[in-house]
Amino acid sequence: GQILGFRKDGTGVGEIGVISDNIYINFGGTTSAAHQLDDYEEGHWVPSWGSYGGSQATGAFTYSAQHGIFTKVGRICHCSFYMGWSAMTTAQTGSYATIDGLPFTVGTHSGHAGGSEGATMNVNWFNTRGSMINGKHITGYAHRGHTRIILGALGQTNITAISPSNLHTSSTWSGGSYYIYAEISFIV
């Protein structure tokens, strides 16, 4: 229940309260759960390459770095990450290249169509062995009901899927220094 209430000109405008073992802040002068902020979390996650669709195989990579951080406020999670890799010792296959390991399952929102919940991925820096990125902007979206980002390439008039062979080539390799720095926000 309510611990501290806030009023303006005699009208309730919010409160701080406790439900079970959770403290919440309630906005809008109503006790409705839809107006409660009762979750805040910060932490780390480990991004990795994955694949989705078709005859998929995750592949095996030699990583030099796999760092991710997140901040979750209510149902919105913002993630940023860096991955570095120098070899693919088992070929990765599938219809789409993915970044796996998001710290929360991508949620759903009633009335929203499509496979994504949240903004598209913003790529800050990217260097890869494949050649499919010529003249295109790399993007991705959080895949509803999963803990992955599906990658795409934004051209002048459309977005095309990035397959693992587009991204890394279709055979194993070693040597080189490849990386991605990016961020994404999504609904949990």
Coordinates of all heavy atoms in Angstrom, one line a residue, residues 83-173:
M83 N 31.5 -6.7 -29.5 CA 32.0 -8.1 -29.8 C 33.2 -7.9 -30.7 O 33.2 -7.2 -31.7 CB 31.0 -9.0 -30.5 CG 30.0 -9.6 -29.6 SD 29.0 -11.0 -30.4 CE 28.6 -10.3 -32.0
G84 N 34.3 -8.7 -30.4 CA 35.4 -8.8 -31.3 C 35.7 -10.2 -31.5 O 35.5 -11.1 -30.7
W85 N 36.1 -10.5 -32.8 CA 36.4 -11.9 -33.1 C 37.5 -12.0 -34.2 O 37.7 -11.0 -34.9 CB 35.1 -12.7 -33.6 CG 34.5 -12.2 -34.9 CD1 34.6 -12.7 -36.1 CD2 33.7 -11.0 -35.0 NE1 33.9 -11.9 -37.0 CE2 33.3 -10.9 -36.4 CE3 33.2 -10.0 -34.1 CZ2 32.5 -9.9 -36.9 CZ3 32.4 -9.0 -34.6 CH2 32.1 -8.9 -36.0
S86 N 38.2 -13.1 -34.2 CA 39.4 -13.2 -35.1 C 39.3 -14.5 -35.9 O 40.2 -14.7 -36.8 CB 40.7 -13.2 -34.3 OG 40.7 -14.3 -33.4
A87 N 38.4 -15.4 -35.7 CA 38.3 -16.6 -36.5 C 36.9 -17.2 -36.4 O 36.2 -17.0 -35.4 CB 39.3 -17.6 -36.0
M88 N 36.5 -18.0 -37.5 CA 35.3 -18.8 -37.5 C 35.8 -20.2 -37.8 O 36.2 -20.5 -39.0 CB 34.3 -18.3 -38.6 CG 33.1 -19.1 -38.6 SD 31.8 -18.5 -39.7 CE 32.5 -18.8 -41.3
T89 N 35.9 -21.1 -36.8 CA 36.5 -22.4 -37.0 C 35.4 -23.4 -37.4 O 35.8 -24.5 -37.8 CB 37.2 -22.8 -35.7 OG1 36.2 -22.8 -34.6 CG2 38.3 -21.9 -35.4
T90 N 34.1 -23.2 -37.2 CA 33.1 -24.0 -37.8 C 32.1 -23.0 -38.5 O 31.7 -22.0 -37.9 CB 32.3 -24.7 -36.7 OG1 33.2 -25.5 -35.9 CG2 31.2 -25.6 -37.3
A91 N 31.8 -23.3 -39.8 CA 31.0 -22.4 -40.6 C 29.6 -22.2 -40.0 O 29.0 -23.1 -39.4 CB 30.8 -23.0 -42.0
Q92 N 29.2 -20.9 -40.0 CA 27.9 -20.5 -39.6 C 26.9 -20.5 -40.8 O 27.3 -20.0 -41.8 CB 27.9 -19.1 -38.9 CG 26.6 -18.7 -38.3 CD 26.7 -17.2 -37.8 OE1 27.4 -16.4 -38.5 NE2 26.1 -17.0 -36.7
T93 N 25.7 -21.1 -40.6 CA 24.7 -21.2 -41.7 C 23.4 -20.7 -41.2 O 23.2 -20.6 -40.0 CB 24.6 -22.6 -42.3 OG1 24.2 -23.5 -41.2 CG2 25.9 -23.1 -42.8
G94 N 22.4 -20.5 -42.1 CA 21.1 -20.1 -41.8 C 20.6 -19.0 -42.7 O 21.4 -18.4 -43.5
S95 N 19.3 -18.6 -42.5 CA 18.8 -17.5 -43.4 C 19.2 -16.2 -42.9 O 19.3 -15.2 -43.7 CB 17.2 -17.6 -43.3 OG 16.8 -18.9 -43.8
Y96 N 19.4 -16.0 -41.5 CA 19.7 -14.7 -40.9 C 20.8 -14.9 -40.0 O 20.9 -15.8 -39.2 CB 18.5 -14.2 -40.1 CG 17.2 -14.0 -40.9 CD1 16.3 -15.0 -40.9 CD2 17.0 -12.9 -41.7 CE1 15.1 -14.9 -41.6 CE2 15.8 -12.7 -42.4 CZ 14.9 -13.7 -42.4 OH 13.7 -13.6 -43.1
A97 N 21.8 -13.9 -40.0 CA 22.8 -13.8 -38.9 C 22.1 -13.1 -37.8 O 21.3 -12.2 -37.9 CB 24.0 -13.0 -39.4
T98 N 22.4 -13.6 -36.6 CA 21.8 -12.9 -35.4 C 22.9 -12.6 -34.3 O 24.0 -13.2 -34.4 CB 20.8 -13.9 -34.7 OG1 21.4 -15.1 -34.3 CG2 19.7 -14.2 -35.7
I99 N 22.6 -11.8 -33.4 CA 23.3 -11.5 -32.2 C 22.5 -12.1 -31.1 O 21.4 -11.6 -30.9 CB 23.7 -10.1 -32.0 CG1 24.6 -9.6 -33.2 CG2 24.4 -9.8 -30.7 CD1 24.8 -8.1 -33.3
D100 N 23.0 -13.1 -30.4 CA 22.3 -13.8 -29.4 C 22.7 -13.3 -28.0 O 23.8 -12.8 -27.8 CB 22.5 -15.3 -29.5 CG 21.9 -15.9 -30.8 OD1 21.1 -15.2 -31.5 OD2 22.1 -17.1 -31.0
G101 N 21.8 -13.7 -27.0 CA 22.2 -13.5 -25.6 C 21.6 -12.2 -24.9 O 22.1 -11.8 -23.9
L102 N 20.6 -11.5 -25.6 CA 20.0 -10.4 -24.9 C 19.6 -10.8 -23.5 O 19.2 -11.9 -23.2 CB 18.7 -9.9 -25.7 CG 19.0 -9.2 -27.0 CD1 17.7 -9.0 -27.7 CD2 19.7 -7.9 -26.8
P103 N 19.7 -9.8 -22.6 CA 19.5 -10.2 -21.2 C 18.0 -10.5 -20.8 O 17.8 -11.1 -19.7 CB 20.0 -8.9 -20.4 CG 19.8 -7.8 -21.4 CD 20.1 -8.4 -22.7
F104 N 17.1 -10.2 -21.6 CA 15.7 -10.5 -21.4 C 15.0 -10.9 -22.7 O 15.5 -10.5 -23.8 CB 14.9 -9.2 -20.9 CG 15.5 -8.7 -19.6 CD1 16.4 -7.7 -19.6 CD2 15.1 -9.3 -18.4 CE1 16.9 -7.2 -18.4 CE2 15.6 -8.8 -17.2 CZ 16.5 -7.7 -17.2
T105 N 14.0 -11.7 -22.6 CA 13.2 -12.1 -23.8 C 12.5 -10.9 -24.3 O 11.8 -10.2 -23.5 CB 12.2 -13.3 -23.4 OG1 13.0 -14.4 -22.9 CG2 11.4 -13.7 -24.6
V106 N 12.5 -10.7 -25.6 CA 11.8 -9.6 -26.2 C 10.3 -9.9 -26.0 O 9.8 -10.9 -26.3 CB 12.2 -9.5 -27.7 CG1 11.4 -8.3 -28.3 CG2 13.7 -9.2 -27.8
G107 N 9.6 -8.9 -25.5 CA 8.2 -9.0 -25.2 C 7.2 -8.7 -26.3 O 7.7 -8.6 -27.5
T108 N 6.0 -8.6 -26.0 CA 4.9 -8.3 -27.0 C 4.2 -7.1 -26.4 O 4.2 -6.8 -25.3 CB 4.0 -9.5 -27.2 OG1 3.4 -9.8 -26.0 CG2 4.7 -10.7 -27.8
H109 N 3.5 -6.5 -27.3 CA 2.7 -5.3 -27.0 C 1.4 -5.4 -27.8 O 1.4 -5.6 -29.0 CB 3.4 -4.0 -27.3 CG 2.7 -2.8 -27.0 ND1 2.4 -2.4 -25.7 CD2 2.1 -1.8 -27.8 CE1 1.8 -1.3 -25.7 NE2 1.6 -0.9 -27.0
S110 N 0.2 -5.4 -27.1 CA -1.0 -5.6 -27.9 C -1.2 -4.6 -28.9 O -0.9 -3.4 -28.7 CB -2.2 -5.6 -26.9 OG -2.3 -4.4 -26.3
G111 N -1.7 -5.0 -30.1 CA -2.0 -4.1 -31.2 C -0.8 -3.8 -32.1 O -0.8 -3.1 -33.0
H112 N 0.4 -4.4 -31.7 CA 1.6 -4.2 -32.5 C 1.8 -5.4 -33.4 O 2.0 -6.5 -32.9 CB 2.8 -3.9 -31.6 CG 4.0 -3.6 -32.3 ND1 5.0 -4.5 -32.7 CD2 4.5 -2.4 -32.7 CE1 5.9 -3.9 -33.3 NE2 5.7 -2.6 -33.3
A113 N 1.9 -5.2 -34.7 CA 2.1 -6.3 -35.6 C 3.6 -6.4 -36.0 O 4.3 -5.4 -35.8 CB 1.3 -6.0 -36.9
G114 N 4.0 -7.5 -36.4 CA 5.4 -7.7 -36.8 C 6.2 -8.5 -35.8 O 5.7 -8.9 -34.8
G115 N 7.4 -8.8 -36.2 CA 8.3 -9.6 -35.3 C 9.1 -8.9 -34.3 O 9.8 -9.5 -33.6
S116 N 9.0 -7.5 -34.3 CA 9.9 -6.8 -33.4 C 9.1 -6.0 -32.4 O 8.0 -5.6 -32.6 CB 10.7 -5.8 -34.3 OG 11.4 -4.9 -33.5
E117 N 9.8 -5.7 -31.3 CA 9.2 -4.9 -30.2 C 10.4 -3.9 -29.9 O 11.3 -4.2 -29.1 CB 8.8 -5.6 -29.0 CG 7.6 -6.5 -29.2 CD 6.3 -5.7 -29.5 OE1 6.3 -4.5 -29.3 OE2 5.3 -6.3 -29.9
G118 N 10.4 -2.7 -30.4 CA 11.4 -1.7 -30.1 C 12.0 -1.1 -31.3 O 11.7 -1.5 -32.4
A119 N 12.9 -0.2 -31.0 CA 13.6 0.4 -32.1 C 14.6 -0.5 -32.8 O 15.0 -1.5 -32.3 CB 14.4 1.7 -31.6
T120 N 15.0 -0.1 -34.0 CA 16.0 -0.9 -34.7 C 17.4 -0.7 -34.0 O 17.6 0.3 -33.3 CB 16.1 -0.5 -36.2 OG1 16.4 0.9 -36.2 CG2 14.9 -0.9 -36.9
M121 N 18.3 -1.6 -34.2 CA 19.6 -1.5 -33.7 C 20.4 -0.4 -34.3 O 20.4 -0.2 -35.5 CB 20.3 -2.9 -33.9 CG 21.7 -2.9 -33.3 SD 22.5 -4.6 -33.5 CE 22.7 -4.7 -35.3
N122 N 21.1 0.3 -33.5 CA 22.0 1.4 -34.0 C 23.4 0.8 -33.9 O 23.9 0.5 -32.9 CB 21.9 2.6 -33.1 CG 22.8 3.7 -33.6 OD1 23.0 4.0 -34.7 ND2 23.5 4.3 -32.6
V123 N 24.1 0.7 -35.1 CA 25.4 0.2 -35.2 C 26.4 1.4 -35.2 O 26.3 2.3 -36.1 CB 25.7 -0.6 -36.4 CG1 27.1 -1.1 -36.5 CG2 24.7 -1.8 -36.4
N124 N 27.3 1.5 -34.2 CA 28.2 2.6 -34.1 C 29.5 2.3 -35.0 O 29.9 3.2 -35.7 CB 28.6 2.8 -32.7 CG 27.4 3.2 -31.8 OD1 26.7 4.1 -32.2 ND2 27.3 2.6 -30.7
W125 N 30.1 1.1 -34.8 CA 31.2 0.7 -35.6 C 31.1 -0.8 -36.0 O 30.6 -1.6 -35.2 CB 32.5 0.9 -34.9 CG 32.9 2.3 -34.6 CD1 33.2 3.3 -35.4 CD2 32.9 2.9 -33.3 NE1 33.5 4.5 -34.8 CE2 33.2 4.2 -33.4 CE3 32.6 2.4 -32.0 CZ2 33.3 5.1 -32.4 CZ3 32.7 3.3 -30.9 CH2 33.1 4.6 -31.1
F126 N 31.5 -1.1 -37.2 CA 31.4 -2.5 -37.6 C 32.5 -2.8 -38.6 O 32.7 -2.0 -39.6 CB 30.0 -2.6 -38.3 CG 29.6 -4.1 -38.6 CD1 29.5 -5.0 -37.6 CD2 29.3 -4.4 -39.9 CE1 29.2 -6.3 -37.9 CE2 29.0 -5.7 -40.2 CZ 28.9 -6.7 -39.2
N127 N 33.1 -3.9 -38.5 CA 34.1 -4.4 -39.4 C 34.0 -5.9 -39.5 O 34.0 -6.6 -38.5 CB 35.5 -4.1 -38.9 CG 36.6 -4.6 -39.8 OD1 36.4 -4.6 -41.0 ND2 37.8 -4.9 -39.3
T128 N 33.8 -6.4 -40.7 CA 33.6 -7.9 -40.9 C 34.3 -8.4 -42.1 O 34.7 -7.6 -43.0 CB 32.1 -8.2 -41.0 OG1 31.9 -9.6 -40.9 CG2 31.4 -7.6 -42.2
R129 N 34.4 -9.6 -42.2 CA 35.1 -10.3 -43.3 C 34.3 -10.3 -44.6 O 34.8 -10.2 -45.7 CB 35.5 -11.7 -42.9 CG 36.4 -12.4 -43.9 CD 36.7 -13.8 -43.3 NE 37.6 -14.5 -44.1 CZ 38.9 -14.4 -44.1 NH1 39.5 -13.6 -43.3 NH2 39.6 -15.1 -45.0
G130 N 32.9 -10.4 -44.5 CA 32.1 -10.5 -45.7 C 32.0 -9.2 -46.4 O 32.3 -8.1 -45.9
S131 N 31.4 -9.3 -47.6 CA 31.4 -8.1 -48.5 C 30.0 -7.5 -48.7 O 29.8 -6.6 -49.5 CB 32.0 -8.4 -49.9 OG 31.2 -9.4 -50.5
M132 N 29.0 -8.1 -48.1 CA 27.6 -7.7 -48.3 C 27.3 -6.3 -47.9 O 26.2 -5.7 -48.2 CB 26.6 -8.7 -47.7 CG 26.7 -8.9 -46.3 SD 26.6 -7.6 -45.1 CE 25.0 -7.0 -45.4
I133 N 28.1 -5.6 -47.1 CA 27.8 -4.3 -46.5 C 28.1 -3.2 -47.4 O 27.9 -2.0 -47.1 CB 28.4 -4.1 -45.1 CG1 29.9 -4.2 -45.2 CG2 27.9 -5.2 -44.2 CD1 30.6 -3.8 -43.9
N134 N 28.7 -3.4 -48.6 CA 29.1 -2.3 -49.5 C 27.9 -1.5 -49.8 O 26.9 -1.9 -50.4 CB 29.7 -2.9 -50.8 CG 31.0 -3.6 -50.5 OD1 31.7 -3.3 -49.5 ND2 31.4 -4.5 -51.4
G135 N 27.9 -0.2 -49.5 CA 26.8 0.8 -49.8 C 25.6 0.6 -49.0 O 24.5 1.1 -49.3
K136 N 25.6 -0.2 -47.9 CA 24.5 -0.4 -47.1 C 24.8 -0.1 -45.6 O 25.9 -0.1 -45.2 CB 24.0 -1.8 -47.2 CG 23.5 -2.2 -48.6 CD 22.9 -3.5 -48.7 CE 22.4 -3.8 -50.1 NZ 21.7 -5.0 -50.2
H137 N 23.7 0.2 -44.9 CA 23.8 0.5 -43.4 C 23.4 -0.8 -42.7 O 22.2 -1.3 -42.9 CB 22.9 1.7 -43.1 CG 22.9 1.9 -41.6 ND1 23.9 2.6 -41.0 CD2 22.0 1.6 -40.7 CE1 23.6 2.7 -39.7 NE2 22.4 2.1 -39.5
I138 N 24.2 -1.3 -41.8 CA 23.8 -2.5 -41.0 C 22.8 -2.1 -39.9 O 23.0 -1.1 -39.3 CB 25.0 -3.1 -40.4 CG1 26.1 -3.5 -41.4 CG2 24.7 -4.3 -39.5 CD1 25.6 -4.4 -42.5
T139 N 21.8 -2.9 -39.8 CA 20.7 -2.6 -38.8 C 20.3 -4.0 -38.2 O 20.8 -5.0 -38.6 CB 19.6 -1.8 -39.3 OG1 18.7 -1.4 -38.3 CG2 18.8 -2.6 -40.4
G140 N 19.3 -4.0 -37.4 CA 18.8 -5.2 -36.8 C 17.6 -4.9 -36.0 O 17.3 -3.7 -35.7
Y141 N 16.8 -5.9 -35.6 CA 15.7 -5.7 -34.7 C 15.6 -6.8 -33.7 O 16.0 -7.9 -33.9 CB 14.4 -5.5 -35.5 CG 13.9 -6.8 -36.2 CD1 13.1 -7.7 -35.5 CD2 14.2 -7.0 -37.5 CE1 12.6 -8.8 -36.2 CE2 13.8 -8.1 -38.2 CZ 13.0 -9.0 -37.5 OH 12.5 -10.1 -38.1
A142 N 15.1 -6.4 -32.5 CA 14.9 -7.4 -31.4 C 13.8 -8.3 -31.8 O 12.7 -7.9 -32.2 CB 14.6 -6.7 -30.1
H143 N 14.0 -9.6 -31.8 CA 13.1 -10.6 -32.3 C 12.1 -11.0 -31.2 O 12.5 -11.6 -30.2 CB 13.8 -11.8 -32.8 CG 13.0 -12.8 -33.6 ND1 13.5 -14.0 -34.0 CD2 11.7 -12.7 -34.0 CE1 12.5 -14.7 -34.6 NE2 11.5 -13.9 -34.7
R144 N 10.8 -10.7 -31.4 CA 9.8 -11.0 -30.4 C 9.8 -12.4 -29.9 O 9.8 -13.4 -30.7 CB 8.4 -10.7 -31.0 CG 7.2 -10.9 -30.1 CD 5.9 -10.7 -30.8 NE 5.8 -9.3 -31.1 CZ 4.8 -8.7 -31.9 NH1 3.9 -9.5 -32.4 NH2 4.7 -7.5 -32.1
G145 N 9.7 -12.6 -28.6 CA 9.7 -13.9 -28.0 C 11.0 -14.6 -27.9 O 11.1 -15.8 -27.5
H146 N 12.1 -13.9 -28.3 CA 13.4 -14.5 -28.2 C 14.4 -13.6 -27.6 O 14.1 -12.5 -27.2 CB 13.9 -14.8 -29.7 CG 13.0 -15.7 -30.4 ND1 13.1 -17.1 -30.3 CD2 12.0 -15.5 -31.2 CE1 12.1 -17.7 -31.0 NE2 11.4 -16.7 -31.6
T147 N 15.7 -14.0 -27.4 CA 16.7 -13.2 -26.8 C 17.8 -12.9 -27.9 O 19.0 -13.1 -27.7 CB 17.4 -13.9 -25.6 OG1 17.8 -15.2 -26.0 CG2 16.4 -14.0 -24.5
R148 N 17.3 -12.5 -29.1 CA 18.3 -12.3 -30.2 C 17.9 -11.0 -31.0 O 16.8 -10.6 -30.9 CB 18.4 -13.5 -31.1 CG 17.1 -13.8 -31.8 CD 17.2 -15.0 -32.7 NE 16.0 -15.5 -33.1 CZ 15.6 -16.8 -33.0 NH1 16.5 -17.7 -32.5 NH2 14.4 -17.2 -33.3
I149 N 18.9 -10.6 -31.7 CA 18.7 -9.5 -32.7 C 18.9 -10.1 -34.1 O 20.0 -10.7 -34.3 CB 19.8 -8.4 -32.4 CG1 19.7 -7.8 -31.0 CG2 19.6 -7.3 -33.5 CD1 20.9 -7.0 -30.6
I150 N 18.0 -9.9 -35.0 CA 18.1 -10.4 -36.3 C 18.7 -9.2 -37.2 O 18.2 -8.1 -37.1 CB 16.8 -10.8 -36.9 CG1 16.3 -12.0 -36.1 CG2 16.9 -11.2 -38.4 CD1 14.9 -12.6 -36.6
L151 N 19.8 -9.5 -37.9 CA 20.5 -8.5 -38.7 C 19.9 -8.3 -40.1 O 19.4 -9.2 -40.7 CB 22.0 -8.8 -38.8 CG 22.7 -9.0 -37.5 CD1 24.2 -9.2 -37.8 CD2 22.5 -7.7 -36.6
G152 N 20.0 -7.1 -40.5 CA 19.6 -6.7 -41.9 C 20.5 -5.6 -42.4 O 21.2 -5.0 -41.7
A153 N 20.4 -5.4 -43.7 CA 21.2 -4.3 -44.4 C 20.2 -3.4 -45.0 O 19.4 -3.7 -45.8 CB 22.1 -4.9 -45.4
L154 N 20.3 -2.1 -44.7 CA 19.5 -1.1 -45.2 C 20.1 -0.4 -46.4 O 21.2 0.2 -46.3 CB 19.2 0.0 -44.1 CG 18.4 1.2 -44.5 CD1 16.9 0.7 -44.9 CD2 18.3 2.2 -43.3
G155 N 19.5 -0.6 -47.5 CA 19.9 0.0 -48.8 C 19.1 1.3 -49.0 O 18.4 1.8 -48.2
Q156 N 19.2 1.8 -50.2 CA 18.4 3.0 -50.6 C 16.9 2.8 -50.5 O 16.2 3.7 -50.2 CB 18.9 3.5 -51.9 CG 19.9 4.6 -51.9 CD 20.2 5.2 -53.2 OE1 20.2 4.5 -54.2 NE2 20.3 6.5 -53.3
T157 N 16.5 1.7 -50.9 CA 15.0 1.5 -51.1 C 14.5 0.3 -50.3 O 13.3 0.1 -50.3 CB 14.7 1.2 -52.6 OG1 15.4 0.1 -53.0 CG2 15.0 2.4 -53.4
N158 N 15.3 -0.5 -49.6 CA 14.8 -1.6 -48.9 C 15.7 -2.1 -47.8 O 16.9 -1.7 -47.7 CB 14.4 -2.8 -49.8 CG 15.6 -3.3 -50.5 OD1 16.7 -2.8 -50.4 ND2 15.5 -4.4 -51.3
I159 N 15.3 -3.1 -47.0 CA 16.1 -3.8 -46.0 C 16.2 -5.2 -46.5 O 15.2 -5.9 -46.8 CB 15.5 -3.7 -44.6 CG1 15.5 -2.3 -44.1 CG2 16.3 -4.6 -43.7 CD1 14.9 -2.1 -42.7
T160 N 17.4 -5.8 -46.6 CA 17.6 -7.1 -46.9 C 18.2 -7.9 -45.8 O 18.9 -7.4 -44.9 CB 18.5 -7.3 -48.1 OG1 19.7 -6.6 -47.9 CG2 17.9 -6.7 -49.4
A161 N 17.9 -9.2 -45.7 CA 18.4 -10.1 -44.6 C 19.9 -10.2 -44.8 O 20.4 -10.2 -45.9 CB 17.7 -11.4 -44.7
I162 N 20.6 -10.3 -43.7 CA 22.0 -10.6 -43.7 C 22.1 -12.0 -43.3 O 21.8 -12.4 -42.2 CB 22.8 -9.7 -42.7 CG1 22.7 -8.2 -43.2 CG2 24.2 -10.2 -42.7 CD1 23.4 -7.3 -42.2
S163 N 22.6 -12.9 -44.2 CA 22.8 -14.3 -43.9 C 24.2 -14.4 -43.3 O 25.1 -13.5 -43.5 CB 22.6 -15.1 -45.2 OG 23.8 -14.9 -46.0
P164 N 24.5 -15.5 -42.6 CA 25.8 -15.7 -42.1 C 26.9 -15.7 -43.2 O 28.0 -15.1 -43.0 CB 25.7 -17.1 -41.4 CG 24.3 -17.1 -41.0 CD 23.5 -16.5 -42.1
S165 N 26.6 -16.2 -44.3 CA 27.6 -16.3 -45.4 C 27.9 -14.9 -45.9 O 29.0 -14.5 -46.3 CB 27.3 -17.2 -46.5 OG 26.0 -16.8 -47.1
N166 N 26.9 -14.0 -45.9 CA 27.1 -12.6 -46.3 C 28.0 -11.9 -45.3 O 28.8 -11.0 -45.7 CB 25.8 -11.8 -46.4 CG 24.8 -12.2 -47.4 OD1 23.6 -12.3 -47.2 ND2 25.3 -12.6 -48.6
L167 N 27.8 -12.2 -44.1 CA 28.5 -11.5 -43.0 C 30.0 -12.0 -42.8 O 30.9 -11.2 -42.7 CB 27.8 -11.7 -41.7 CG 28.2 -10.9 -40.5 CD1 27.9 -9.4 -40.8 CD2 27.3 -11.3 -39.3
H168 N 30.1 -13.3 -42.8 CA 31.4 -13.9 -42.5 C 32.1 -14.7 -43.6 O 33.2 -15.1 -43.5 CB 31.3 -14.9 -41.3 CG 30.6 -14.4 -40.1 ND1 31.2 -13.4 -39.3 CD2 29.4 -14.6 -39.6 CE1 30.4 -13.1 -38.3 NE2 29.3 -13.9 -38.5
T169 N 31.5 -14.9 -44.7 CA 31.8 -15.8 -45.9 C 31.3 -17.2 -45.5 O 30.9 -17.4 -44.3 CB 33.3 -15.8 -46.3 OG1 34.0 -16.5 -45.3 CG2 33.8 -14.4 -46.5
S170 N 31.3 -18.1 -46.4 CA 30.7 -19.4 -46.2 C 31.7 -20.5 -45.8 O 31.4 -21.6 -45.7 CB 29.9 -19.8 -47.4 OG 30.8 -19.8 -48.5
S171 N 33.0 -20.1 -45.7 CA 34.0 -21.1 -45.3 C 34.7 -20.7 -44.0 O 34.6 -19.5 -43.6 CB 35.0 -21.3 -46.4 OG 35.6 -20.1 -46.7
T172 N 35.3 -21.6 -43.3 CA 36.0 -21.3 -42.1 C 37.2 -20.4 -42.4 O 37.7 -20.4 -43.6 CB 36.5 -22.5 -41.4 OG1 37.3 -23.3 -42.2 CG2 35.3 -23.4 -41.0
W173 N 37.7 -19.6 -41.5 CA 38.8 -18.8 -41.7 C 39.4 -18.4 -40.3 O 38.8 -18.6 -39.3 CB 38.4 -17.5 -42.4 CG 37.2 -16.8 -41.8 CD1 35.9 -17.0 -42.2 CD2 37.2 -15.8 -40.7 NE1 35.1 -16.2 -41.4 CE2 35.9 -15.5 -40.5 CE3 38.2 -15.2 -40.0 CZ2 35.5 -14.6 -39.5 CZ3 37.8 -14.3 -39.0 CH2 36.5 -14.0 -38.8

